[in-house]
Amino acid sequence: MSGSHLISAFLEMMSAERGAAANTIDAYGRDLADYAAFVTARRQTLLDCPRDTVTDWLDDLKNQGLSASSSARRLSAIRQFHKFLCADGLRGDDPTRIVASPKSRRALPKVLSVEEVTRLLSLAEAEAGAPASPQKQLSAQRLYVLLEMLYATGLRVSELVSLRRAAVMRDAAFLSVKGKGSKERIVPMNDRARDAVRHWLTTLPPGPWLFPSNGEDGYLSRQVFARDLKALAARAGISSARVAPHVLRHAFASHLLAGGADLRVVQMLLGHADISTTQIYTHVLDEKLRNLVESHHPLASG
């Protein structure tokens, strides 16, 4: 059978036996036609092309500027086609069997340097202690406590703003946090955050929330916190586009790992169910190291 006949037989099977939609059949037809043309240009056929041809075809798609997700979708069609050939006894081996699917590179989280975080905290602390109207002073004190806690614990912003007073444990040395899936974890706080929380508690009126608000939920909204943080960043001379509550969470994790913390410990502190989520922060460190070598190695530009 010729290549076009093999493809037609496969598409008929997809339609009749698997009930594939017309749009799916059309997409598979285009992908397989492109693949078949590449194979033919190599003076090979769909019944004898080796694994190297499949990987070279994927490289060609990448060189054409096709995204990893689009290439992965095309490879999926080719895999099903070759499985069909094997199942029908038209070919004894499957050249796609151990070909890795293209993966989109996960975006690295934005991370502030230790010096930048220190600038934010120092300014927030200074503004919290500066003379101002009662309302402005309360807002400044609240922002300072939020920042100290966020950088000390790496909490999700939703976890932080919705903390109850009862979550503060052992004279503010620990927090009891209810995270995703209502899973609870105990998170330690450093001395600065502990002292900030202790003082904050003395200023609060009676109520269940650590950061009360007049809003519907009864506690501070994430949006208000983000707005106040961006304004603080601008006053500290840091681009507000680079700063958001989750960026402080990223900084907490990245700075801990850079200091030698165990990845499993960081996973526990962040409340990640899967360690692969935490591993993104090791990629941030890898990227920084690579940039450092490229910038300073004497042969880097050679």
Side-chain angles (χ1 to χ4, degrees):
M1 294 176 71
S2 67
S4 60
H5 283 89
L6 291 171
I7 293 172
S8 294
F10 168 72
L11 295 177
E12 287 176 8
M13 181 276 296
M14 290 294 294
S15 177
E17 297 182 16
R18 300 189 185 177
N23 288 341
T24 301
I25 297 297
D26 290 342
Y28 278 15
R30 290 192 298 271
D31 294 343
L32 288 167
D34 175 76
Y35 172 65
F38 186 86
V39 170
T40 301
R42 292 288 187 96
R43 300 181 182 277
Q44 299 166 357
T45 74
L46 296 173
L47 296 177
D48 62 20
C49 59
R51 174 177 174 270
D52 287 347
T53 297
V54 178
T55 56
D56 289 346
W57 173 69
L58 288 172
D59 288 341
D60 186 61
L61 294 180
K62 182 178 180 181
N63 292 335
Q64 293 176 37
L66 206 67
S67 68
S69 58
S70 295
S71 295
R73 181 188 58 77
R74 292 195 183 190
L75 177 59
S76 177
I78 306 310
R79 285 191 200 281
Q80 293 186 62
F81 173 68
H82 277 293
K83 286 180 181 178
F84 162 76
L85 295 181
C86 291
D88 272 25
L90 297 170
R91 178 165 180 159
D93 65 310
D94 179 356
T96 69
R97 190 174 61 84
I98 56 173
V99 174
S101 182
K103 293 183 178 179
S104 299
R105 183 178 179 181
R106 187 172 179 179
L108 297 179
K110 297 177 182 178
V111 176
L112 297 173
S113 67
V114 173
E115 186 272 335
E116 288 171 323
V117 173
T118 301
R119 277 162 59 192
L120 283 175
L121 289 172
S122 296
L123 180 58
E125 184 178 22
E127 292 184 351
S133 67
Q135 185 59 43
K136 283 190 175 181
Q137 190 167 55
L138 182 66
S139 294
Q141 290 174 350
R142 181 181 66 194
L143 180 58
Y144 172 59
V145 176
L146 284 164
L147 289 185
E148 284 286 6
M149 293 182 69
L150 185 53
Y151 186 55
T153 64
L155 295 185
R156 299 178 180 92
V157 62
S158 57
E159 296 171 342
L160 178 60
V161 297
S162 63
L163 280 173
R164 292 178 174 271
R165 288 193 194 201
V168 181
M169 304 168 57
R170 301 184 197 174
D171 199 24
F174 295 87
L175 293 175
S176 173
V177 182
K178 183 175 289 187
K180 289 186 176 180
S182 296
K183 292 182 178 179
E184 293 194 11
R185 66 187 190 278
I186 303 300
V187 179
M189 287 201 293
N190 61 27
D191 289 346
R192 285 179 60 101
R194 183 192 63 203
D195 292 344
V197 171
R198 281 177 179 171
H199 181 266
W200 176 246
L201 287 171
T202 66
T203 70
L204 290 180
W209 307 107
L210 190 58
F211 299 104
S213 170
N214 293 326
E216 182 180 346
D217 292 324
Y219 54 80
L220 183 71
S221 72
R222 295 176 300 167
Q223 292 79 8
V224 170
F225 177 26
R227 180 200 65 195
D228 291 350
L229 176 55
K230 284 182 176 292
L232 177 73
R235 295 194 296 275
I238 301 171
S239 171
S240 59
R242 296 181 56 230
V243 181
H246 66 269
V247 174
L248 270 295
R249 173 173 161 90
H250 297 327
F252 163 82
S254 297
H255 296 171
L256 273 182
L257 289 170
D262 183 83
L263 189 65
R264 291 283 182 186
V265 173
V266 177
Q267 176 194 6
M268 178 191 68
L269 294 174
L270 292 174
H272 286 160
D274 192 329
I275 198 169
S276 65
T277 308
T278 318
Q279 285 174 327
I280 186 66
Y281 297 105
T282 66
H283 301 324
V284 174
L285 298 179
D286 292 343
E287 187 81 0
K288 285 187 174 181
L289 289 172
R290 184 181 64 78
N291 290 336
L292 181 67
V293 171
E294 290 181 353
S295 299
H296 300 286
H297 194 283
L299 300 180
S301 59

